[in-house]
Amino acid sequence: MAVVSIKNKLKSGSLLVGNAAYDPAAFVSIATITPSGVTTASFNSIPSTYQHLQIRGIYQGSALDWLGIRANGISTNSYSMHRLNGDGATATADALTSDNRIDRIMETPTSTTTSVWGVVIIDVHDYASTTKNKTFRIFSGYDKNGTGRIQLGSGAFLSTNAVDSITLITGGQTFNSGTQFALYGIKGA
Amino acid sequence: MPATYEPIATTTLGSNVSSFDFTSIPNTYTDLKLIMVLSGSGNGAAVHYKFNDSATGYSMTEIYGDGTTAASTRETGLTIGRFSASTIFSLLAGETNRTLFIMDVMNYSNTSVNKTSLVSISRDRNGAGGVSNSVGLWGSTNAITKITITTNDSTAYFTNGNTATLYGILKA
């Protein structure tokens, strides 16, 4: 069996004939960041060797705020988004165009205790393609047993450049300690 | 050391049951992902969950669509977790179409945070059905070691042959 990669080998053992086959993982943990007291959190130097990326995280802020996404450090009007939003009473849909970030698809809850955290799963398919603009799928929400928000959104990074960095940026508030985002790479066949 | 994305357990129901469990969940992952393909019978009974047999601290905020209307709803102060507040996804007598449930429980073993989950539900019956996304809170900082999926109704059951798989996801 061809060995795709042993860089992230997760199992011990020999690759010699007769031993158990090595099965390189398709879903690989790349990095974890834990921002605290800052307004941005970045994954940098993302390798181009995966097919897709996924970010999974929990977050909390010093104030109620929107969390945006930028790619490759680009802060010009190179982004747009569409979202479905539910606040527990009303379902709405809206969009933003020509924005300086993919915005308003993650709301940061605040909490004076350890209680409530926003959660998010972000998918970026074909992030390393140099022929396609990049689409982000964002699924986020928080619930505070009486308030909260659930959102499903799509965001576009209007560039065919491969994505080699992703920044999560607040609207001005800072991340609370305990916030963490984990980046995963998903391999193609 | 566990792999990054690893199956922990798969349940295939061998009979009609009103509940089933995932027990002894190791605390070695970061997130849990539960994928279920369910059908059942119960004349409107909803699909529920519990963590660690807890009967307190559940709430949720949901957005869903039924093919005609989009709506958002909220439930608070529950004694059991609900995947959806909408009757779109309730168990129906003689139902043969299966419903897909995907639940991501984030930081499930982190004892510094209450537990928040993201849930997606998909059901289509060629003329009825719906799609739902929700966020659920379990107001406990305890690590989750057990998940119970239940109809919470002794007259309602999940059908023999239904499957559910629990995965663990580990960050760097």
Side-chain angles (χ1 to χ4, degrees):
Chain A
M1 182 182 93
V3 175
V4 176
S5 171
I6 59 173
K7 181 178 179 182
N8 296 310
K9 188 177 182 184
L10 300 176
K11 299 179 181 178
S12 62
S14 167
L15 296 174
L16 294 177
V17 169
N19 290 330
Y22 171 68
D23 183 13
F27 192 96
V28 179
S29 179
I30 299 173
T32 299
I33 53 177
T34 54
S36 175
V38 294
T39 59
T40 63
S42 296
F43 293 103
N44 297 312
S45 302
I46 299 172
S48 62
T49 49
Y50 302 98
Q51 189 72 37
H52 315 300
L53 299 174
Q54 183 173 95
I55 296 173
R56 306 174 65 90
I58 65 169
Y59 52 92
Q60 196 184 76
S62 58
L64 195 65
D65 197 0
W66 293 110
L67 196 58
I69 304 170
R70 284 179 176 161
N72 297 357
I74 302 299
S75 59
T76 55
N77 295 341
S78 302
Y79 307 90
S80 61
M81 76 86 181
H82 283 74
R83 70 172 180 177
L84 287 170
N85 174 73
D87 63 2
T90 305
T92 57
D94 57 5
L96 292 173
T97 60
S98 300
D99 208 346
N100 61 29
R101 67 191 71 180
I102 297 170
D103 204 3
R104 299 186 176 270
I105 308 181
M106 295 176 281
E107 186 174 46
T108 56
T110 62
S111 181
T112 56
T113 68
T114 58
S115 58
V116 175
W117 295 76
V119 292
V120 66
I121 300 174
I122 302 168
D123 289 294
V124 192
H125 290 275
D126 287 348
Y127 73 102
S129 169
T130 55
T131 59
K132 308 172 188 176
N133 287 351
K134 308 304 178 290
T135 300
F136 289 66
R137 176 184 178 272
I138 302 106
F139 184 17
S140 72
Y142 70 93
D143 189 278
K144 296 182 72 173
N145 189 31
T147 60
R149 189 182 297 275
I150 180 71
Q151 294 185 284
L152 186 62
S154 67
F157 171 44
L158 302 169
S159 168
T160 56
N161 290 336
V163 172
D164 59 16
S165 76
I166 297 174
T167 299
L168 299 157
I169 178 168
T170 74
Q173 55 88 27
T174 56
F175 291 111
N176 284 353
S177 174
T179 295
Q180 60 180 254
F181 300 102
L183 176 68
Y184 301 86
I186 303 169
K187 298 178 183 176
Chain B
M1 176 180 166
T4 300
Y5 193 117
E6 190 167 49
I8 297 173
T10 292
T11 292
T12 301
L13 302 182
S15 61
N16 297 339
V17 296
S18 61
S19 71
F20 57 93
D21 304 313
F22 291 94
T23 60
S24 303
I25 299 171
N27 65 359
T28 46
Y29 301 97
T30 305
D31 303 329
L32 297 174
K33 192 176 192 82
L34 177 61
I35 299 177
M36 306 186 291
V37 182
L38 301 177
S39 64
S41 182
N43 296 318
V47 182
H48 300 81
Y49 68 93
K50 277 191 177 181
F51 295 136
N52 298 1
D53 295 318
S54 173
T56 184
Y58 301 94
S59 58
M60 58 98 81
T61 301
E62 180 183 13
I63 185 169
Y64 64 89
D66 63 3
T68 301
T69 305
S72 182
T73 187
R74 169 172 292 127
E75 296 200 328
T76 60
L78 302 174
T79 59
I80 190 168
R82 293 189 67 176
F83 283 100
S84 175
S86 169
T87 58
I88 297 171
F89 310 102
S90 298
L91 300 177
L92 302 173
E95 175 67 74
T96 56
N97 293 300
R98 309 222 173 193
T99 303
L100 173 64
F101 295 79
I102 301 176
M103 181 185 210
D104 285 273
V105 189
M106 312 296 280
N107 268 236
Y108 75 101
S109 63
N110 185 340
T111 57
S112 298
V113 303
N114 286 355
K115 306 304 179 287
T116 302
S117 303
L118 291 173
V119 175
S120 294
I121 310 173
S122 305
R123 169 189 271 185
D124 198 284
R125 302 169 62 215
N126 191 25
V131 62
S132 165
N133 290 105
S134 66
V135 55
L137 174 70
W138 179 46
S140 170
T141 56
N142 291 337
I144 294 172
T145 60
K146 180 181 181 180
I147 301 175
T148 299
I149 305 300
T150 176
T151 63
N152 201 37
D153 182 336
S154 61
T155 68
Y157 58 83
F158 301 111
T159 309
N160 175 30
N162 280 346
T163 62
T165 300
L166 182 68
Y167 297 88
I169 298 173
L170 179 65
K171 66 177 175 65

